[in-house]
Amino acid sequence: MSAVLPKAFPSSLNCSHLPAKSKKKKLVASPQVSTKGELVMDERDALKSGRSAKVKRKRGDKDSSFVKTIGYGDENTGFRVKKESKAAVVEKKEKKIDEEVLDGGEETVLQEEEESYLSDTRFDECPISASSLKGIKDAGYVKMSKVQEATLPLILQGKDVLAKAKTGTGKTVAFLLPAIEVLSKLPSSNLGNKVSPINVLVLCPTRELANQAATEAKKLLKYHRSVGAQVVIGGTRLTQEQRNMQANPCQILIATPGRLKDHIENTAGFQARLKGVKILVLDEADRLLDMGFRRDIERIIAALPKERQTLLFSATVPKEVRQICHVAMRKDHEFVSTVEEGTEETHAQVRQMYLIVPVEKQLSVLHQLLTKHISQDSDYKVIVFCTTAMVTALVAEVLGGLKFKVREIHSRKSQSYRTRVSQEFRQSKGIILVSSDVSARGVDYPDVTLVIQIGMPSDRAQYIHRLGRTGRKGKEGQGILMLAPWEICFLDALKDLPITEATPCQPDPGCQDKILKVLARIDMRNKERAYQAWLGYYNSAKGVGQDKLRLVDLAREFSESMGLREPPALQRKVLSKMGLSKVPGFRSI
Ligand SMILES: Nc1ncnc2c1ncn2[C@@H]1O[C@H](COP(=O)(O)OP(=O)(O)OP(=O)(O)O)[C@@H](O)[C@H]1O
């Protein structure tokens, strides 16, 4: 495979020498301040809007081409305006770095980089309520992140906002804080009343993400005594959620779309409460607006007042999403991106590599990658993403059998189990989480050292979100994508990202024997389920599933990799649902 990809790292990297965590980061050249995380627009527009902006450059016009503006100077929001020329910003930054370097040491340099997702604006410089400020202070947040700085004034002005910012840069607070501020200014008859209207509705694509957003909301609401946030996510009894919403203040409702639709259809009085919605947030907007969720979202939006503010946030906003965001937003919405056009959507401090490994060797290469990583970093915290829930369960079982400290999380586990494992992983070090895409988006596990993706993700955005579980809040991380030779086509979707090829490892033959022994002990039903799930996934995967005869061979390869002599037979109706009942080579029962 010719590497069409930018060479940010050595391409001939043997995976037995995968980069150890670098001890000292390089000092990023100070002018980065002029190119990172700022909007690009005409100088006049930038000054007018007051947004932090990199101004479109005119030829021969260097120093005056950057205007950094903090806040909006808007009388409604009370933001102050501060304008600095590029030269002044660079000079200030250089001075700060010089001082830090003189001050000595790695720590300050590391801190400088780790804080690169933060802006220079402090929360206490913003016109937000004392109660929110106290909550923010208790949460330990001092400076706003860039996306928070860029979106807060717009949201407070009542604008609809579509915001794009890299993973782990504080998007949740970016929509929750202004939403709480809007709430706290509503007439007091709305507040404190237990069966009050729902004023802020946040939709998240997964239960984990909804729970996490609720935790963040509770931090910010700590001193807003009469405002409450509730979660409706499924996996628990509908009646339990109904009771919670009835018995506790619920001006902010955080929900997954399916369960919310259930409440719209089955909870008495719920539709009436939704008529109070002033702000709708679609977290991970591109995922929520893609085909899988579109119908539910349209149904939900139809139940909401037309007069409302809508906020869409994500780390990836593909063109199609921009085209269909009129489904939810007003035409004159603002698009804010803290990812500069032409730059990558992934973090520079996360090393990305791919490995091409035949399916039958993937488990032993995985074993080797994990062993190496654990030996290099005793504080390892790894997520291994697999294509489907049942493949996730199988890989977790194999790794457990190989004596790794491993946990699994996917949709086939009960919600209480998922919540428990998620909490344990959040708080632990020295642990591996094998996960399906339930952890791909938004989930904020601190200090993940390595993300491994086995098999092609559903699309480019999903690759970026999964990778985004490491390198959060400016920290370092590594990502490895393991593809079978016939999945190479997926790399086309990543060609503008700094991902490079690692030289394939030669797995230790002893390890292969161990894996076969572990596989032999695994219940046949688990292998059958994994096979069926695998087939379902690749049958509809772009670039693989179209050629059904080829799919027969690839599925056989997968079943052999689980130590099976022949692929399991599938129920006729399952094959027929997949459109494979007439394909010779698949066995049915
Ligand atoms: N201003 C801030 N200062 C310091 N930490 C912050 C700040 N804002 C948010 N955080 C923390 O940063 C972490 C990442 O935030 P969050 O999960 O909202 O990121 P995100 O951009 O939504 O990521 P993703 O795209 O993966 O969903 C969280 O632990 C959050 O508590």
Side-chain angles (χ1 to χ4, degrees), residues 1 25 51 55 58 64 74 89 137 195 198 200 244 299 338 360-361 395 412-413 439 445 485 497 527 552 563:
M1 151 90 200
K25 294 181 190 176
R51 202 139 3 124
V55 172
K58 295 176 211 126
S64 64
D74 182 285
V89 173
K137 198 167 167 221
V195 190
I198 292 158
V200 175
N244 281 347
R299 173 80 189 84
T338 58
E360 74 274 12
K361 289 193 178 149
V395 171
R412 298 299 182 93
K413 289 284 184 192
S439 317
Y445 294 124
L497 298 180
K527 294 178 192 167
V552 173

PDB file of all heavy atoms in Angstrom, residues 1 25 51 55 58 64 74 89 137 195 198 200 244 299 338 360-361 395 412-413 439 445 485 497 527 552 563:
ATOM      1  N   MET A   1       0.860  -1.198   0.000  1.00  0.00           N
ATOM      2  CA  MET A   1       0.000   0.000   0.000  1.00  0.00           C
ATOM      3  C   MET A   1       0.879   1.224   0.000  1.00  0.00           C
ATOM      4  O   MET A   1       1.748   1.404   0.838  1.00  0.00           O
ATOM      5  CB  MET A   1      -0.858  -0.103   1.257  1.00  0.00           C
ATOM      6  CG  MET A   1      -1.311   1.197   1.861  1.00  0.00           C
ATOM      7  SD  MET A   1      -2.851   1.662   1.166  1.00  0.00           S
ATOM      8  CE  MET A   1      -2.876   3.369   1.528  1.00  0.00           C
ATOM      9  N   LYS A  25       8.051  17.297  25.757  1.00  0.00           N
ATOM     10  CA  LYS A  25       7.465  17.738  24.501  1.00  0.00           C
ATOM     11  C   LYS A  25       8.269  18.886  23.949  1.00  0.00           C
ATOM     12  O   LYS A  25       8.841  19.667  24.684  1.00  0.00           O
ATOM     13  CB  LYS A  25       6.042  18.204  24.761  1.00  0.00           C
ATOM     14  CG  LYS A  25       5.130  17.117  25.177  1.00  0.00           C
ATOM     15  CD  LYS A  25       3.780  17.708  25.373  1.00  0.00           C
ATOM     16  CE  LYS A  25       2.866  16.706  26.029  1.00  0.00           C
ATOM     17  NZ  LYS A  25       1.575  17.274  26.322  1.00  0.00           N
ATOM     18  N   ARG A  51     -15.511  38.485  17.293  1.00  0.00           N
ATOM     19  CA  ARG A  51     -15.127  37.111  17.553  1.00  0.00           C
ATOM     20  C   ARG A  51     -13.615  36.932  17.478  1.00  0.00           C
ATOM     21  O   ARG A  51     -12.936  37.626  16.736  1.00  0.00           O
ATOM     22  CB  ARG A  51     -15.760  36.224  16.482  1.00  0.00           C
ATOM     23  CG  ARG A  51     -15.873  34.837  16.945  1.00  0.00           C
ATOM     24  CD  ARG A  51     -17.152  34.168  16.565  1.00  0.00           C
ATOM     25  NE  ARG A  51     -18.080  34.915  15.763  1.00  0.00           N
ATOM     26  CZ  ARG A  51     -18.526  34.447  14.602  1.00  0.00           C
ATOM     27  NH1 ARG A  51     -18.077  33.334  14.139  1.00  0.00           N
ATOM     28  NH2 ARG A  51     -19.427  35.105  13.951  1.00  0.00           N
ATOM     29  N   VAL A  55      -7.641  36.829  10.631  1.00  0.00           N
ATOM     30  CA  VAL A  55      -8.195  37.601   9.533  1.00  0.00           C
ATOM     31  C   VAL A  55      -7.591  37.134   8.221  1.00  0.00           C
ATOM     32  O   VAL A  55      -6.414  36.803   8.144  1.00  0.00           O
ATOM     33  CB  VAL A  55      -7.901  39.094   9.784  1.00  0.00           C
ATOM     34  CG1 VAL A  55      -8.281  39.932   8.587  1.00  0.00           C
ATOM     35  CG2 VAL A  55      -8.665  39.539  11.021  1.00  0.00           C
ATOM     36  N   LYS A  58      -4.203  39.583   3.317  1.00  0.00           N
ATOM     37  CA  LYS A  58      -4.013  40.194   2.000  1.00  0.00           C
ATOM     38  C   LYS A  58      -2.529  40.083   1.698  1.00  0.00           C
ATOM     39  O   LYS A  58      -1.707  40.100   2.603  1.00  0.00           O
ATOM     40  CB  LYS A  58      -4.414  41.670   2.050  1.00  0.00           C
ATOM     41  CG  LYS A  58      -5.884  41.875   2.335  1.00  0.00           C
ATOM     42  CD  LYS A  58      -6.162  43.373   2.462  1.00  0.00           C
ATOM     43  CE  LYS A  58      -7.300  43.578   3.440  1.00  0.00           C
ATOM     44  NZ  LYS A  58      -6.995  44.484   4.500  1.00  0.00           N
ATOM     45  N   SER A  64      -0.475  43.180  10.531  1.00  0.00           N
ATOM     46  CA  SER A  64      -1.797  43.630  10.955  1.00  0.00           C
ATOM     47  C   SER A  64      -2.881  42.603  10.619  1.00  0.00           C
ATOM     48  O   SER A  64      -4.045  42.864  10.763  1.00  0.00           O
ATOM     49  CB  SER A  64      -2.129  44.954  10.278  1.00  0.00           C
ATOM     50  OG  SER A  64      -2.199  44.702   8.897  1.00  0.00           O
ATOM     51  N   ASP A  74     -20.842  43.566  23.429  1.00  0.00           N
ATOM     52  CA  ASP A  74     -22.252  43.726  23.166  1.00  0.00           C
ATOM     53  C   ASP A  74     -22.943  44.162  24.441  1.00  0.00           C
ATOM     54  O   ASP A  74     -22.735  43.595  25.500  1.00  0.00           O
ATOM     55  CB  ASP A  74     -22.787  42.353  22.718  1.00  0.00           C
ATOM     56  CG  ASP A  74     -24.238  42.418  22.369  1.00  0.00           C
ATOM     57  OD1 ASP A  74     -25.040  42.491  23.301  1.00  0.00           O
ATOM     58  OD2 ASP A  74     -24.538  42.400  21.168  1.00  0.00           O
ATOM     59  N   VAL A  89       0.056  40.009  19.975  1.00  0.00           N
ATOM     60  CA  VAL A  89      -0.290  38.695  20.525  1.00  0.00           C
ATOM     61  C   VAL A  89       0.943  37.805  20.556  1.00  0.00           C
ATOM     62  O   VAL A  89       1.252  37.166  21.557  1.00  0.00           O
ATOM     63  CB  VAL A  89      -1.411  38.020  19.690  1.00  0.00           C
ATOM     64  CG1 VAL A  89      -1.642  36.596  20.159  1.00  0.00           C
ATOM     65  CG2 VAL A  89      -2.689  38.827  19.784  1.00  0.00           C
ATOM     66  N   LYS A 137     -15.928  27.262  39.532  1.00  0.00           N
ATOM     67  CA  LYS A 137     -14.735  27.314  40.385  1.00  0.00           C
ATOM     68  C   LYS A 137     -14.573  25.968  41.108  1.00  0.00           C
ATOM     69  O   LYS A 137     -13.484  25.393  41.136  1.00  0.00           O
ATOM     70  CB  LYS A 137     -14.899  28.456  41.389  1.00  0.00           C
ATOM     71  CG  LYS A 137     -13.613  28.866  42.013  1.00  0.00           C
ATOM     72  CD  LYS A 137     -13.743  30.175  42.757  1.00  0.00           C
ATOM     73  CE  LYS A 137     -12.493  30.338  43.616  1.00  0.00           C
ATOM     74  NZ  LYS A 137     -12.771  30.864  44.923  1.00  0.00           N
ATOM     75  N   VAL A 195     -43.292  20.277  38.779  1.00  0.00           N
ATOM     76  CA  VAL A 195     -43.759  19.852  37.466  1.00  0.00           C
ATOM     77  C   VAL A 195     -43.680  21.057  36.527  1.00  0.00           C
ATOM     78  O   VAL A 195     -44.663  21.499  35.953  1.00  0.00           O
ATOM     79  CB  VAL A 195     -45.173  19.255  37.536  1.00  0.00           C
ATOM     80  CG1 VAL A 195     -45.534  18.596  36.210  1.00  0.00           C
ATOM     81  CG2 VAL A 195     -45.260  18.238  38.665  1.00  0.00           C
ATOM     82  N   ILE A 198     -40.118  21.781  30.671  1.00  0.00           N
ATOM     83  CA  ILE A 198     -38.707  21.490  30.366  1.00  0.00           C
ATOM     84  C   ILE A 198     -38.223  22.648  29.501  1.00  0.00           C
ATOM     85  O   ILE A 198     -38.826  22.949  28.474  1.00  0.00           O
ATOM     86  CB  ILE A 198     -38.602  20.136  29.638  1.00  0.00           C
ATOM     87  CG1 ILE A 198     -38.968  19.019  30.610  1.00  0.00           C
ATOM     88  CG2 ILE A 198     -37.208  19.924  29.051  1.00  0.00           C
ATOM     89  CD1 ILE A 198     -39.402  17.740  29.952  1.00  0.00           C
ATOM     90  N   VAL A 200     -34.679  23.260  28.711  1.00  0.00           N
ATOM     91  CA  VAL A 200     -33.484  22.930  27.906  1.00  0.00           C
ATOM     92  C   VAL A 200     -33.515  21.437  27.629  1.00  0.00           C
ATOM     93  O   VAL A 200     -33.629  20.632  28.557  1.00  0.00           O
ATOM     94  CB  VAL A 200     -32.186  23.285  28.671  1.00  0.00           C
ATOM     95  CG1 VAL A 200     -30.962  22.841  27.886  1.00  0.00           C
ATOM     96  CG2 VAL A 200     -32.115  24.777  28.970  1.00  0.00           C
ATOM     97  N   ASN A 244     -39.097  10.045  38.305  1.00  0.00           N
ATOM     98  CA  ASN A 244     -38.008  11.014  38.543  1.00  0.00           C
ATOM     99  C   ASN A 244     -38.352  12.383  37.997  1.00  0.00           C
ATOM    100  O   ASN A 244     -38.116  13.397  38.640  1.00  0.00           O
ATOM    101  CB  ASN A 244     -36.712  10.558  37.853  1.00  0.00           C
ATOM    102  CG  ASN A 244     -36.016   9.498  38.642  1.00  0.00           C
ATOM    103  OD1 ASN A 244     -36.349   9.262  39.802  1.00  0.00           O
ATOM    104  ND2 ASN A 244     -35.059   8.835  38.010  1.00  0.00           N
ATOM    105  N   ARG A 299     -39.174  13.549  14.575  1.00  0.00           N
ATOM    106  CA  ARG A 299     -40.369  13.377  15.410  1.00  0.00           C
ATOM    107  C   ARG A 299     -40.265  14.244  16.671  1.00  0.00           C
ATOM    108  O   ARG A 299     -41.225  14.889  17.084  1.00  0.00           O
ATOM    109  CB  ARG A 299     -40.488  11.884  15.753  1.00  0.00           C
ATOM    110  CG  ARG A 299     -41.540  11.493  16.733  1.00  0.00           C
ATOM    111  CD  ARG A 299     -42.911  11.402  16.087  1.00  0.00           C
ATOM    112  NE  ARG A 299     -43.978  11.220  17.071  1.00  0.00           N
ATOM    113  CZ  ARG A 299     -44.552  12.208  17.744  1.00  0.00           C
ATOM    114  NH1 ARG A 299     -44.176  13.454  17.558  1.00  0.00           N
ATOM    115  NH2 ARG A 299     -45.508  11.953  18.625  1.00  0.00           N
ATOM    116  N   THR A 338     -13.522  25.964  15.766  1.00  0.00           N
ATOM    117  CA  THR A 338     -12.213  26.273  16.338  1.00  0.00           C
ATOM    118  C   THR A 338     -11.150  25.366  15.699  1.00  0.00           C
ATOM    119  O   THR A 338     -10.027  25.325  16.139  1.00  0.00           O
ATOM    120  CB  THR A 338     -12.208  26.104  17.874  1.00  0.00           C
ATOM    121  OG1 THR A 338     -12.582  24.778  18.173  1.00  0.00           O
ATOM    122  CG2 THR A 338     -13.149  27.079  18.539  1.00  0.00           C
ATOM    123  N   GLU A 360      -6.373 -13.570  10.587  1.00  0.00           N
ATOM    124  CA  GLU A 360      -6.007 -14.688  11.488  1.00  0.00           C
ATOM    125  C   GLU A 360      -4.866 -14.307  12.437  1.00  0.00           C
ATOM    126  O   GLU A 360      -4.625 -14.996  13.425  1.00  0.00           O
ATOM    127  CB  GLU A 360      -5.695 -15.966  10.692  1.00  0.00           C
ATOM    128  CG  GLU A 360      -4.367 -15.997   9.953  1.00  0.00           C
ATOM    129  CD  GLU A 360      -4.426 -15.374   8.546  1.00  0.00           C
ATOM    130  OE1 GLU A 360      -5.450 -14.715   8.237  1.00  0.00           O
ATOM    131  OE2 GLU A 360      -3.462 -15.525   7.790  1.00  0.00           O
ATOM    132  N   LYS A 361      -4.168 -13.189  12.121  1.00  0.00           N
ATOM    133  CA  LYS A 361      -3.066 -12.807  13.020  1.00  0.00           C
ATOM    134  C   LYS A 361      -3.445 -11.641  13.925  1.00  0.00           C
ATOM    135  O   LYS A 361      -2.638 -11.189  14.738  1.00  0.00           O
ATOM    136  CB  LYS A 361      -1.850 -12.408  12.179  1.00  0.00           C
ATOM    137  CG  LYS A 361      -1.199 -13.576  11.489  1.00  0.00           C
ATOM    138  CD  LYS A 361       0.142 -13.186  10.945  1.00  0.00           C
ATOM    139  CE  LYS A 361       0.800 -14.388  10.306  1.00  0.00           C
ATOM    140  NZ  LYS A 361       1.661 -13.997   9.191  1.00  0.00           N
ATOM    141  N   VAL A 395     -13.552 -10.533  21.746  1.00  0.00           N
ATOM    142  CA  VAL A 395     -12.174 -10.046  21.923  1.00  0.00           C
ATOM    143  C   VAL A 395     -11.893  -9.853  23.423  1.00  0.00           C
ATOM    144  O   VAL A 395     -10.815 -10.204  23.916  1.00  0.00           O
ATOM    145  CB  VAL A 395     -11.943  -8.728  21.126  1.00  0.00           C
ATOM    146  CG1 VAL A 395     -10.607  -8.096  21.473  1.00  0.00           C
ATOM    147  CG2 VAL A 395     -12.016  -9.003  19.623  1.00  0.00           C
ATOM    148  N   ARG A 412     -24.959  -4.954  24.370  1.00  0.00           N
ATOM    149  CA  ARG A 412     -25.598  -6.175  24.868  1.00  0.00           C
ATOM    150  C   ARG A 412     -25.476  -6.331  26.381  1.00  0.00           C
ATOM    151  O   ARG A 412     -25.957  -7.294  26.948  1.00  0.00           O
ATOM    152  CB  ARG A 412     -24.997  -7.410  24.183  1.00  0.00           C
ATOM    153  CG  ARG A 412     -25.188  -7.440  22.684  1.00  0.00           C
ATOM    154  CD  ARG A 412     -26.684  -7.442  22.353  1.00  0.00           C
ATOM    155  NE  ARG A 412     -26.898  -7.521  20.924  1.00  0.00           N
ATOM    156  CZ  ARG A 412     -27.081  -8.657  20.272  1.00  0.00           C
ATOM    157  NH1 ARG A 412     -27.067  -9.801  20.907  1.00  0.00           N
ATOM    158  NH2 ARG A 412     -27.271  -8.631  18.963  1.00  0.00           N
ATOM    159  N   LYS A 413     -24.792  -5.424  27.013  1.00  0.00           N
ATOM    160  CA  LYS A 413     -24.677  -5.462  28.473  1.00  0.00           C
ATOM    161  C   LYS A 413     -25.775  -4.602  29.080  1.00  0.00           C
ATOM    162  O   LYS A 413     -26.200  -3.616  28.468  1.00  0.00           O
ATOM    163  CB  LYS A 413     -23.301  -4.926  28.904  1.00  0.00           C
ATOM    164  CG  LYS A 413     -22.172  -5.868  28.556  1.00  0.00           C
ATOM    165  CD  LYS A 413     -22.167  -7.030  29.523  1.00  0.00           C
ATOM    166  CE  LYS A 413     -21.004  -7.968  29.298  1.00  0.00           C
ATOM    167  NZ  LYS A 413     -21.172  -9.229  30.050  1.00  0.00           N
ATOM    168  N   SER A 439     -18.701   3.699  23.201  1.00  0.00           N
ATOM    169  CA  SER A 439     -17.745   4.629  23.829  1.00  0.00           C
ATOM    170  C   SER A 439     -17.055   5.507  22.792  1.00  0.00           C
ATOM    171  O   SER A 439     -16.097   6.216  23.117  1.00  0.00           O
ATOM    172  CB  SER A 439     -16.661   3.876  24.589  1.00  0.00           C
ATOM    173  OG  SER A 439     -17.166   2.828  25.330  1.00  0.00           O
ATOM    174  N   TYR A 445     -13.067   9.774  29.310  1.00  0.00           N
ATOM    175  CA  TYR A 445     -12.244   9.030  30.248  1.00  0.00           C
ATOM    176  C   TYR A 445     -10.904   9.752  30.337  1.00  0.00           C
ATOM    177  O   TYR A 445     -10.246   9.931  29.312  1.00  0.00           O
ATOM    178  CB  TYR A 445     -12.008   7.600  29.743  1.00  0.00           C
ATOM    179  CG  TYR A 445     -13.260   6.756  29.680  1.00  0.00           C
ATOM    180  CD1 TYR A 445     -13.653   6.150  28.488  1.00  0.00           C
ATOM    181  CD2 TYR A 445     -14.031   6.538  30.817  1.00  0.00           C
ATOM    182  CE1 TYR A 445     -14.787   5.359  28.425  1.00  0.00           C
ATOM    183  CE2 TYR A 445     -15.176   5.746  30.756  1.00  0.00           C
ATOM    184  CZ  TYR A 445     -15.543   5.163  29.572  1.00  0.00           C
ATOM    185  OH  TYR A 445     -16.669   4.384  29.511  1.00  0.00           O
ATOM    186  N   PRO A 485      -5.891  -6.724   5.129  1.00  0.00           N
ATOM    187  CA  PRO A 485      -5.431  -6.226   3.824  1.00  0.00           C
ATOM    188  C   PRO A 485      -6.584  -5.760   2.929  1.00  0.00           C
ATOM    189  O   PRO A 485      -6.444  -4.801   2.186  1.00  0.00           O
ATOM    190  CB  PRO A 485      -4.706  -7.438   3.221  1.00  0.00           C
ATOM    191  CG  PRO A 485      -4.307  -8.261   4.400  1.00  0.00           C
ATOM    192  CD  PRO A 485      -5.333  -8.038   5.462  1.00  0.00           C
ATOM    193  N   LEU A 497      -5.158  13.046   7.180  1.00  0.00           N
ATOM    194  CA  LEU A 497      -4.772  13.005   8.595  1.00  0.00           C
ATOM    195  C   LEU A 497      -3.326  12.510   8.724  1.00  0.00           C
ATOM    196  O   LEU A 497      -2.859  11.735   7.885  1.00  0.00           O
ATOM    197  CB  LEU A 497      -5.711  12.069   9.377  1.00  0.00           C
ATOM    198  CG  LEU A 497      -7.183  12.467   9.413  1.00  0.00           C
ATOM    199  CD1 LEU A 497      -7.992  11.445  10.223  1.00  0.00           C
ATOM    200  CD2 LEU A 497      -7.359  13.856  10.017  1.00  0.00           C
ATOM    201  N   LYS A 527     -18.994 -17.626  19.752  1.00  0.00           N
ATOM    202  CA  LYS A 527     -18.332 -17.506  18.439  1.00  0.00           C
ATOM    203  C   LYS A 527     -19.372 -17.340  17.338  1.00  0.00           C
ATOM    204  O   LYS A 527     -19.182 -16.579  16.397  1.00  0.00           O
ATOM    205  CB  LYS A 527     -17.460 -18.741  18.177  1.00  0.00           C
ATOM    206  CG  LYS A 527     -16.297 -18.836  19.134  1.00  0.00           C
ATOM    207  CD  LYS A 527     -15.509 -20.093  18.857  1.00  0.00           C
ATOM    208  CE  LYS A 527     -14.536 -20.347  19.993  1.00  0.00           C
ATOM    209  NZ  LYS A 527     -13.969 -21.690  19.955  1.00  0.00           N
ATOM    210  N   VAL A 552     -18.204 -14.164   1.320  1.00  0.00           N
ATOM    211  CA  VAL A 552     -18.204 -15.549   1.803  1.00  0.00           C
ATOM    212  C   VAL A 552     -16.791 -15.927   2.246  1.00  0.00           C
ATOM    213  O   VAL A 552     -16.575 -16.484   3.333  1.00  0.00           O
ATOM    214  CB  VAL A 552     -18.678 -16.519   0.691  1.00  0.00           C
ATOM    215  CG1 VAL A 552     -18.516 -17.980   1.113  1.00  0.00           C
ATOM    216  CG2 VAL A 552     -20.121 -16.225   0.302  1.00  0.00           C
ATOM    217  N   GLY A 563     -10.729 -20.024  15.420  1.00  0.00           N
ATOM    218  CA  GLY A 563     -10.376 -21.433  15.625  1.00  0.00           C
ATOM    219  C   GLY A 563     -11.434 -22.393  15.127  1.00  0.00           C
ATOM    220  O   GLY A 563     -11.431 -23.574  15.494  1.00  0.00           O
TER     221      GLY A 563
END
